[in-house]
Amino acid sequence: MYPVRTRIRPVLAAVALSVSLTACTAGAVGAPREGQDAKPGGAADRPVKVSVVSPAAGRPVTVTAKDGTLTSVKVADEDGAVLAGRTEAGGASWVSDRKAVPGASYTVEATTRSAGGKETTTRSSFTTKKASLVNKLTLAPGKNTTVGIGQPLSIVFDRPVANKAEVEKELKVTTSNGTVGSWGWVKDYSGRDRADWRPEVYWKPGTEVTLDARLNGTDSGGSWFVRDYRTGFRVGDAQVVKVDLDAHRLTVEKNGRAVRTIPVSGGTPGGDKRSWRGTAVLMAKEGTINMNSETVGLGDAYDKMVDYSMRLTWSGMYAHAAPWNAAYFGRANHSSGCIGMSTENAAAFYAMVKVGDPFEIKGAETKGTVAEGNGYGAWNVSWEKWRSKSALAN
């Protein structure tokens, strides 16, 4: 039982008790209609019984009226924020549009009208239990950024999400041109639950995308969200990087036209140093970073500072400058899994590409296809299969 406190305006009639709230008549407006019993205690002036149904976090606030109707309801938290709602069943009930959140105190002000036309206003309050565990999330891409046509909207959750359907219902994506897309649930490379939203095909350039994650008060299944999230981004030019590992070159196509071809060297065939194939989306432009082979399970093969580093997977595949491998550019695949090129070409390429540009990689000697959670591999899944990954698919 949740604590409920009641503050009542000056009482002019009898008090009607309920399980959750106490309602009382505070004053009459109008007189009984013809044919109604106007005597004290008669049906016409019978007090309206007001109740809040099982007030708890994660549920909409429901207010009901018996022996009368609700004419107005206001539910506000301790900060004065009001829960919008709607009256149903001809005024017999009112339901909030949003859920009550954990660890909050709410005041309910309900005005009712009895069968005899008397109006009564009651004020009561309740407090929801605090969340024992809080779930948070990380959004990509960043807010107000311009990204490539392959960039999905991606959400990584701090804690496991058992109630995927309930969470997905609160994730609203809107686009400037009515783009059709779908959420898909995958396991992130980190092992955490992740939801990505992608269109059927690459984004149309110029599309503006907004996410409203109205998660405050949603139980993810053992942990609660205690805030809402909002982000948005814009899609830039249609730019695709086509990587042919067998021909040892990459080609940048911008708006359907090849604008640069660069000789490269991919992963060494025949073992763990092979590159991945399929579509990998440029995740980040990281500049000069330290690359250590021990962090990707390749022993002590290398430990060096690398310029113009562009991340393609969480497992460690990059495109970057590799001047030490110059003898193999355009001739053979002889790297530790990355796509290497000259420093001059890497500098120009780094300036051209943007986060979200898709790299379409093909080659006979690869480790396999980039998985959905290893970076952004959603494009390697058919549209039908991707839609089936939505928690609301059935």
Side-chain angles (χ1 to χ4, degrees):
M1 176 68 69
Y2 293 88
V4 178
R5 298 183 299 278
T6 306
R7 301 190 302 278
I8 307 174
R9 291 180 178 175
V11 177
L12 299 180
V15 174
L17 298 177
S18 71
V19 173
S20 302
L21 293 179
T22 302
C24 66
T25 52
V29 177
R33 294 191 296 273
E34 184 178 354
Q36 291 181 320
D37 188 352
K39 293 182 295 181
D45 66 350
R46 182 179 298 163
V48 181
K49 186 177 181 180
V50 178
S51 302
V52 173
V53 181
S54 302
R59 299 177 184 171
V61 179
T62 301
V63 181
T64 63
K66 184 178 180 181
D67 298 325
T69 58
L70 294 162
T71 59
S72 69
V73 176
K74 179 181 178 182
V75 179
D77 65 19
E78 58 265 46
D79 297 323
V82 175
L83 285 180
R86 61 196 179 282
T87 303
E88 299 180 342
S93 65
W94 179 94
V95 181
S96 66
D97 296 331
R98 298 293 305 273
K99 303 166 185 173
V101 304
S105 294
Y106 293 92
T107 298
V108 180
E109 182 179 287
T111 300
T112 60
R113 180 178 289 115
S114 70
K118 292 182 179 180
E119 287 201 344
T120 303
T121 299
T122 61
R123 285 193 182 92
S124 298
S125 62
F126 66 90
T127 300
T128 57
K129 291 181 179 178
K130 291 183 178 180
S132 56
L133 290 174
V134 173
N135 205 344
K136 299 179 181 180
L137 55 82
T138 303
L139 292 168
K143 190 174 183 180
N144 299 326
T145 54
T146 298
V147 298
I149 59 175
Q151 176 68 52
L153 178 56
S154 186
I155 304 175
V156 179
F157 298 89
D158 282 5
R159 295 186 180 276
V161 180
N163 297 336
K164 290 182 172 61
E166 290 302 309
V167 171
E168 189 175 325
K169 287 177 184 177
E170 306 302 332
L171 306 177
K172 183 180 180 182
V173 178
T174 55
T175 68
S176 58
N177 53 17
T179 300
V180 175
S182 174
W183 288 104
W185 289 83
V186 302
K187 191 64 70 173
D188 187 67
Y189 194 75
S190 65
R192 293 181 292 176
D193 286 329
R194 191 175 106 194
D196 286 1
W197 196 96
R198 53 152 279 203
E200 181 176 0
V201 296
Y202 290 151
W203 294 102
K204 181 179 179 180
T207 304
E208 295 182 355
V209 186
T210 301
L211 167 69
D212 281 305
R214 295 171 33 124
L215 291 169
N216 198 1
T218 299
D219 179 5
S220 63
S223 59
W224 292 81
F225 296 100
V226 295
R227 56 161 290 191
D228 294 333
Y229 296 82
R230 181 180 173 87
T231 191
F233 61 92
R234 183 180 183 278
V235 180
D237 289 329
Q239 187 161 264
V240 179
V241 180
K242 294 183 179 288
V243 182
D244 188 335
L245 295 174
D246 294 335
H248 318 298
R249 66 170 179 260
L250 68 77
T251 301
V252 182
E253 294 185 356
K254 186 172 184 179
N255 298 321
R257 184 173 63 89
V259 294
R260 191 178 186 97
T261 298
I262 297 173
V264 299
S265 180
T268 304
D272 291 338
K273 292 184 178 181
R274 290 173 294 173
S275 300
W276 293 102
R277 69 173 179 271
T279 300
V281 175
L282 180 57
M283 302 174 65
K285 296 167 69 173
E286 298 181 5
T288 301
I289 61 173
N290 176 257
M291 290 191 180
N292 187 311
S293 55
E294 293 181 352
T295 64
V296 291
L298 294 177
D300 60 355
Y302 56 86
D303 183 5
K304 60 182 67 180
M305 301 303 293
V306 180
D307 295 328
Y308 303 109
S309 298
M310 296 158 272
R311 180 182 283 274
L312 297 174
T313 70
W314 283 126
S315 62
M317 186 167 78
Y318 285 77
H320 61 75
W324 57 87
N325 216 19
Y328 299 101
F329 299 150
R331 298 182 176 87
N333 293 321
H334 200 266
S335 78
S336 294
C338 294
I339 300 167
M341 63 199 79
S342 71
T343 300
E344 180 184 5
N345 280 328
F349 183 56
Y350 192 90
M352 294 177 69
V353 296
K354 58 185 173 298
V355 170
D357 283 348
F359 282 54
E360 297 177 351
I361 306 166
K362 66 179 183 178
E365 275 285 340
T366 63
K367 286 188 286 190
T369 303
V370 177
E372 297 101 302
N374 187 12
Y376 301 126
W379 299 108
N380 298 314
V381 178
S382 70
W383 176 236
E384 291 72 21
K385 186 175 180 180
W386 181 256
R387 287 190 301 172
S388 73
K389 292 178 176 292
S390 166
L392 303 176
N394 298 318

